Amino acid sequence: MLLIIMLTLISGPHPLLQEQALRRPLPCWTIDGSDHPENPVDILHYDLAIEVFRDIQEIYGITGITMTSAGTTVSDIRLDLRQLTVDSVWDATGDLAFHQQDDSLFITLSSPLAPADTAELFVAYGGFPYHESWGGFWFHPYITYHIGVGIYTPGQCMGKCMFPCWDFQNDKATYDFHITCPDTLYAVANGDSAGVDYEAGKATFHWTFDQPLPTYLVTMAVGEYAVLHDSTDSRIYYYVYEWEIDDALGSFTNVDLMLANLESLYGPYPWDCRFSLVETPNGDMEHTSAIAHWANAVNGNNYWDWLIAHEMTHHWWGCCVSHADWQSIWLKESFATYGEALWMETYGEDEYTEYMVQSIMIPYLNSGELFPVAYPETPAQIFSYTTYEKAASVLHMLRYVLGDQDFFDSMNWLFQQHMYGLITNQDFHDAVEYVTGEDIDWFMDTWIYDWGYPVYDITSSWTGTLDAWELTVELSQVQTTGPVFEMPLEFLVQGVSQDTLVTMWNDSAYQAQSYQVSFEPVDVVFDPYSHILCGNVLTGIEGPSSPPGGLGTVHLGPNPCRGSATVIWPGTENWDLTVTVYDMSGRTCLRGRLVPGERTLDVSSLPPATYLLDIRGEGSTRQSARLVVLE
Ligand SMILES: [Zn+2]
């Protein structure tokens, strides 16, 4: 008897379509040279005074900067500042010489800063602040707010759109905020409130954050906020639109439980201040202690809990232990995305597995991406299914390989060794090997540093009588891209009234193994607990339509567009593509088919707005993208 084992899990409607698109728009620059070198000075503290003028959409600010030399004597410094004009720079001795060029502000210090000396200077600046279509400083009709990470912007860090700073995570600092706005509004920033001053129709809100934080996690928001305080956990606050209090009460019922769950996994909330969600119009961003939380997700129910779990997990992974550079973004997004599944695990093991498969593995496998987790080469690859969903699947598999105890011990060791600092791929690798005493090169080399994922072709057969049966499992790895993957693989041998689990340590492209079982098998189920990220999750065998080099990432051009846009999806040139266009509320606005050679999408019938595109190719390949349509 011979049977082919197929694990067929049919993908339903993409539950994460909106979020996938929100966090993966289409940057068009290259990441070469966008990383910062070491800062010659170590900035210790920023004191930010910012006044918001909503009617003219400008800000005016004075930033006090306290710094020390990072090692050598320094006479001049360079800071980042985008699109805002500096009026003056001074220190205790008087005015300092400065000039601005592109996104840089160059300042000559009044006297050379010797090693171990500290200096304080002040920069007065103002103007119409910059934002791209995601990150930067925004004047929304009723909320003024800042998002610290750019997706279209080289270097990613957007602190420079709000204040002069060293805008890269290799220099962390503490912060004070003094935000002035009309006294009918409320202003919130990172950390804890330090009081409010009222004068002549204006209010100045003081906030303070006294632990080291990179500039991309700094935020402020001004609006008609109601302040809600969680009734169970006194550390938790919510800043929501005054007219959405009822929805907030319905949507935030589990936040205290999430915080408790994360503390049980990774140790106490690592910040000495409150934890809060700040309602903003444009999606979620993990600004430390003041998450920008998407207004559409404040809807009266718990559907978006996974999104809160994601951003909250960043308070350990990303905010406290930060990725050393943006190519290593998987070190934070893997944990945050896996945090969504760990939240589901509080409901039960089945809920955890269901989430891993349906919301993490399948979206990755459907994306067509094959490049290595450790080596995103374009901005689109930084904010990709590989750095989020594949990397989260890697944590899921590492936990399976190590067992719960060693996995969480390793992650806690990694966290504790690098709190408030930076981590690299090697730090991750070293932590696991230190805690477990085992070599995990075989795991890291394939899953982190190499391409793709395994696709298994499996057959099984058995012979025997009564209570002595020999089961033979034959397995081939048939993926066309990537290495031979080494993994322990489980098979559930099912009989009429009993079953048993057998394991094969698979480390070659073809392998056969026999097992003695005491009952007659009727079926053999591969990977019954969905431990393995593999092509079999989708179809059982690799579809014939995947090109050998894999698929690229969808680009739309121009974007924003007028009338029409071209869909560019490398690797699919000979395919028909089906494109569905949704508006931001998820309503279908347009559906069409693009044949080979014709990749122009006519959007002239759509009113100007931002749209989400679901683009499907052959087999189950699928990607999403965001398109801005202009008048
Ligand atoms: Zn994230």
Side-chain angles (χ1 to χ4, degrees), residues 286 310-311 314 332-333 336 388:
E286 70 265 23
H310 179 111
E311 306 305 339
H314 276 311
K332 77 182 181 88
E333 295 305 342
Y388 285 70

Side-chain angles (χ1 to χ4, degrees), residues 183-201:
D183 65 4
T184 53
L185 302 178
Y186 189 93
V188 55
N190 305 81
D192 277 326
S193 169
V196 192
D197 293 322
Y198 294 97
E199 191 185 335

Side-chain angles (χ1 to χ4, degrees), residues 29 31 34-36 134 148-151 153-160 167-170 214-217 285-286 314 318 322-333 373-379 381-384 387-388 422-423 425:
W29 42 275
I31 54 179
S34 61
D35 285 354
H36 271 50
W134 163 253
V149 167
I151 295 176
T153 304
Q156 272 81 25
C157 300
M158 303 291 274
K160 65 175 84 57
D167 209 10
F168 198 71
Q169 65 266 28
N170 60 1
T215 51
Y216 84 91
L217 292 168
M285 171 63 207
E286 70 265 23
H314 276 311
S322 306
H323 50 302
D325 55 57
W326 287 88
Q327 283 93 328
S328 313
I329 188 176
W330 77 272
L331 288 165
K332 77 182 181 88
E333 295 305 342
V373 168
Y375 305 120
E377 288 182 345
T378 66
Q381 290 183 348
I382 288 179
F383 297 99
S384 64
T387 55
Y388 285 70
L422 305 176
I423 53 171
N425 297 340

Side-chain angles (χ1 to χ4, degrees), residues 488-555:
L489 304 178
E490 291 178 338
F491 301 87
L492 183 67
V493 187
Q494 295 177 318
V496 173
S497 59
Q498 55 188 317
D499 52 39
T500 187
L501 195 68
V502 299
T503 302
M504 172 194 290
W505 192 282
N506 172 228
D507 58 3
S508 58
Y510 171 79
Q511 203 164 330
Q513 193 163 334
S514 294
Y515 306 88
Q516 306 304 317
V517 287
S518 61
F519 56 88
E520 181 178 7
V522 293
D523 201 0
V524 177
V525 180
F526 167 63
D527 193 28
Y529 306 112
S530 301
H531 291 308
I532 313 290
L533 177 70
C534 58
N536 308 57
V537 170
L538 286 180
T539 59
I541 52 167
E542 192 171 40
S545 55
S546 267
L551 298 180
T553 303
V554 164
H555 289 253

